[in-house]
Amino acid sequence: MSVHKHHQQSHLTVIPAAQKRSEKICDSSGYAMFSTGEDGDIHVVAHRMLDAGNNERGRQLLGAWLASRSGSGSNWAHLQWHMAVFELSSGNWYAAFARFRQHILPVVTHSFDALTDAPALLWRLSLAANAPVALPWEPVRWRALATMKTPRSAFVEVHNLLALAGAHDSESLEGWIQEHRLSTSSRPEATVFRIATALHAFIGRNYKEAALAFESVLPYVSHIGGSRAQNELFAQLQQSAYRLANANTPLTRELKVA
């Protein structure tokens, strides 16, 4: 990722100098995150703030850093994902959605640099909305389908499935489940398969089944990779499925977005 400074003022006074480190830097779950260069420094800070529950401070630090720079590529898209997560935590849904539209949607539409960040953020936006919401899932779905033509890591594959589920492409999702029903020999493969069945139940409005499936897989999500902050999404899906399973009346009003 190339990052270009717009101003000389630095917002990184609280950031340890990670540029010259050779050791891995991990989040609270032990996940090794990218940490080299200035973008790596601020990435470490974002994770530290999220892990500590200090989301408002994280929003301030990362927001100031992003405001003084421009960039492209997967690291830049991932930092935008972090910023949107901070915005959602402060209740600023429309700011997070605008960030997705401006910084992540063009990336996933034209490249493979937001394979995980795009579907993950759309799901967070969907779960954080106070009503059913029409989101731009179609480009994310098409990118996922294109990606699934070649072998990918378990972490990318589960996000491809998240894209299909978010777009309510139950046919493709069910096809994947049938194709992989007998090929779950490893723990990561079994975890991805279980998440796929949970997502299929969720979009089919079988919320109790989805909640139980997500609950059963949560202890093993780390086996597919990803940070604690990223994998928090699966707990949010479980909680949402549980709430919907116990709701007296389903939500029917659609939230309109530009």
Side-chain angles (χ1 to χ4, degrees):
M1 181 200 80
S2 62
V3 177
H4 310 286
K5 293 183 180 179
H6 286 171
H7 305 289
Q8 292 300 315
Q9 182 181 4
S10 174
H11 300 283
L12 303 181
T13 55
V14 299
I15 300 174
Q19 293 94 324
K20 297 182 180 180
R21 293 196 192 100
S22 58
E23 70 273 16
K24 292 180 180 179
I25 300 178
C26 300
D27 73 346
S28 62
S29 71
Y31 176 78
M33 48 188 157
F34 78 82
S35 57
T36 57
E38 284 193 348
D39 55 330
D41 285 341
I42 195 65
H43 184 233
V44 171
V45 168
H47 274 280
R48 294 289 184 258
M49 295 297 102
L50 284 169
D51 286 344
N54 198 351
N55 293 355
E56 179 56 26
R57 181 60 173 157
R59 186 186 68 81
Q60 293 170 359
L61 290 170
L62 181 56
W65 192 92
L66 290 171
S68 65
R69 290 159 173 82
S70 64
S72 61
S74 59
N75 287 1
W76 181 256
H78 186 61
L79 290 173
Q80 298 291 344
W81 174 88
H82 272 283
M83 188 62 193
V85 170
F86 285 135
E87 288 166 336
L88 286 173
S89 73
S90 66
N92 202 338
W93 191 95
Y94 284 97
F97 177 68
R99 189 169 299 279
F100 174 85
R101 290 287 300 266
Q102 182 178 354
H103 295 288
I104 296 180
L105 183 57
V107 177
V108 76
T109 301
H110 300 293
S111 76
F112 291 92
D113 286 337
L115 294 177
T116 62
D117 292 321
L121 183 51
L122 279 185
W123 266 108
R124 284 177 181 255
L125 286 163
S126 178
L127 296 176
N130 58 5
V133 55
L135 293 169
W137 279 104
E138 194 59 17
V140 181
R141 182 182 80 91
W142 277 109
R143 182 59 61 190
L145 289 171
T147 304
M148 295 170 86
K149 294 177 181 179
T150 56
R152 298 282 176 170
S153 69
F155 190 66
V156 171
E157 189 72 348
V158 84
H159 282 78
N160 290 333
L161 297 169
L162 282 164
L164 299 182
H168 284 257
D169 185 354
S170 57
E171 181 178 352
S172 296
L173 184 57
E174 186 172 351
W176 187 96
I177 291 171
Q178 294 302 324
E179 181 181 348
H180 293 80
R181 190 173 295 280
L182 301 178
S183 61
T184 56
S185 56
S186 69
R187 174 68 71 184
E189 289 174 339
T191 302
V192 173
F193 183 84
R194 189 62 174 163
I195 291 172
T197 61
L199 289 169
H200 189 263
F202 191 98
I203 65 173
R205 298 187 179 184
N206 299 313
Y207 297 122
K208 184 176 181 179
E209 178 184 340
L212 292 172
F214 279 123
E215 184 175 7
S216 71
V217 84
L218 287 180
Y220 309 106
V221 166
S222 62
H223 290 285
I224 65 174
S227 67
R228 184 207 62 81
Q230 290 172 305
N231 290 334
E232 187 179 46
L233 172 62
F234 301 104
Q236 293 175 350
L237 283 162
Q238 188 273 335
Q239 292 160 10
S240 178
Y242 182 81
R243 285 195 302 270
L244 289 166
N246 291 280
N248 292 326
T249 55
L251 293 171
T252 57
R253 181 173 60 88
E254 184 175 282
L255 179 66
K256 299 297 184 181
V257 295

